[in-house]
Amino acid sequence: MDELKVFTGNAHPALAQAVTEYLCIPLGGCEVFQFSNENIFVRILENVRQRDTFVIQPISSPVNKNLVELLIMLDALKRASAGRITAVVPCYGYGRTDKKDQPRVPITARLIADLLTVAGANRLLTVDLHAAQIQGFFNIPVDELTALNLLSAYFREKNLDNLVVVATDIGITKRARDLAHNLNAPLAIMEKRRIGNIDQIETLNIIGEVDGKVALTVDDEIDTAGSLVNTVTTLIERGAKEVYSCCTHPVFSGQAIQKIASSTVKEVVVTDTIPVNEEKKLDKITVLPIAPLLGEAIHRIHTGLSVGAMFE
């Protein structure tokens, strides 16, 4: 893999290091820092001319700083004549703003797609987008990986009896159905409503049977954990014996950790598409490594193998 180069900004260097260890190559050298005036500076420290380059950078907190770092790194590689530039964005920030659902609001997920392309990305590699249609916002190839098999394998080993998989809202139903199929379990769906533009959820109904069962909720991300706590409380009230939860992206903003700690959820299983700091690692939070999945996808993209075959 002499022609393969992997770089990273400051968003998640531990993930990038784990990916390069999987690929058995060194992490590409670069300087990425912020001046006192908050301007970001990037310098690539290696020859990348006509090389196959990958930049690993989730658009996670601090979202805007990490996004601009990514854009500037892509531009630096483009101006250094890199052969192909792949933006590896394990967590696609602003993905929840994927449609115009109110008057006079933007479609920010599309704007981010345009920014990445203009900055120099020839390809996007990401994990579990909030909405599948975001792929269509790009005019470059998009490879969307899923952590579903990783999560399925974890819960299959736990061998939970009388399990029911619960979609936390209508939009996540397809992903929840796939997880339920992998675990040979029935599916239930939470019907809920978001109140305005604030992080407040109102649960309306549960479609499916949860009484006397072990519930496993599934979502693409856990942000403030308000929806998670609300869902867990409702499931227990409807007769669920205990509740587990899983998601791909552990955003954990605001008081999320405190809410999870005080809730009755048995275990929350996430991946490390976003760094989970030590203060966020509760006993009931399990973090699964995503690096082998990303590393294998990067290897397949570089060598021209099928990425889709990973999930067949």
Side-chain angles (χ1 to χ4, degrees):
M1 290 194 178
D2 293 340
E3 300 300 312
L4 173 61
K5 294 287 185 181
V6 176
F7 298 91
T8 185
N10 295 311
H12 202 346
L15 175 60
Q17 187 63 51
V19 169
T20 53
E21 288 174 3
Y22 177 90
L23 293 167
C24 300
I25 61 172
L27 186 61
C30 64
E31 288 181 318
V32 185
F33 64 88
Q34 186 172 275
F35 289 115
S36 58
N37 64 359
E38 298 185 9
N39 289 359
I40 293 170
F41 175 79
V42 170
R43 184 161 74 103
I44 308 299
L45 301 176
E46 301 184 19
N47 175 25
V48 294
R49 185 177 294 272
Q50 296 307 308
R51 301 293 180 94
D52 195 8
T53 57
F54 294 78
V55 181
I56 300 176
Q57 180 90 333
I59 305 176
S60 56
S61 180
V63 170
N64 298 325
K65 177 177 179 289
N66 287 334
L67 171 60
V68 175
E69 271 190 12
L70 174 58
L71 295 174
I72 296 175
M73 291 185 73
L74 295 173
D75 185 73
L77 289 168
K78 178 176 69 174
R79 295 176 188 280
S81 301
R84 179 176 62 180
I85 305 167
T86 301
V88 183
V89 186
C91 179
Y92 189 89
Y94 289 103
R96 287 161 69 170
T97 317
D98 62 318
K99 56 186 175 295
K100 194 172 178 184
D101 55 359
Q102 301 174 50
R104 297 175 297 281
V105 296
I107 304 179
T108 318
R110 171 58 196 265
L111 173 62
I112 301 302
D114 290 341
L115 290 172
L116 291 172
T117 306
V118 170
N122 304 120
R123 190 180 197 100
L124 176 74
L125 176 61
T126 188
V127 183
D128 285 332
L129 291 167
H130 181 69
Q133 65 262 27
I134 294 174
Q135 292 188 38
F137 294 169
F138 288 85
N139 291 319
I140 57 175
V142 175
D143 291 299
E144 182 188 1
L145 308 179
T146 179
L148 207 62
N149 292 347
L150 196 63
L151 297 168
S152 299
Y154 179 84
F155 283 102
R156 200 179 295 118
E157 287 183 7
K158 292 186 78 72
N159 196 26
L160 299 171
D161 291 329
N162 206 13
L163 181 68
V164 58
V165 174
V166 182
T168 53
D169 62 30
I170 302 295
I172 201 76
T173 301
K174 183 181 183 301
R175 197 168 298 165
R177 187 175 65 236
D178 292 341
L179 181 62
H181 174 75
N182 290 349
L183 297 174
N184 195 26
L187 175 68
I189 302 169
M190 298 290 295
E191 185 187 2
K192 64 185 184 182
R193 174 174 64 190
R194 185 172 297 276
I195 302 172
N197 291 321
I198 58 176
D199 288 313
Q200 188 174 340
I201 301 294
E202 179 187 9
T203 301
L204 302 176
N205 191 23
I206 299 179
I207 304 169
E209 183 58 51
V210 298
D211 187 23
K213 295 179 177 290
V214 175
L216 169 60
T217 73
V218 58
D219 210 339
D220 62 315
E221 67 177 44
I222 297 174
D223 188 359
T224 63
S227 179
L228 170 64
V229 171
N230 194 359
T231 298
V232 170
T233 302
T234 303
L235 288 169
I236 295 296
E237 289 174 351
R238 298 294 179 90
K241 290 193 297 183
E242 55 185 16
V243 182
Y244 292 79
S245 182
C246 68
C247 79
T248 302
H249 309 298
V251 179
F252 294 158
S253 63
Q255 300 295 309
I257 294 301
Q258 291 85 336
K259 291 177 183 176
I260 292 171
S262 61
S263 77
T264 55
V265 66
K266 188 81 171 177
E267 184 180 14
V268 178
V269 182
V270 302
T271 75
D272 60 350
T273 56
I274 297 173
V276 181
N277 301 328
E278 287 301 321
E279 61 269 19
K280 295 182 178 181
K281 290 183 178 177
L282 304 175
D283 290 339
K284 63 169 67 175
I285 294 179
T286 301
V287 182
L288 305 179
I290 202 74
L293 185 67
L294 289 173
E296 181 62 25
I298 289 172
H299 166 70
R300 287 170 176 265
I301 291 170
H302 176 64
T303 55
L305 298 174
S306 168
V307 174
M310 294 168 57
F311 305 101
E312 292 176 356

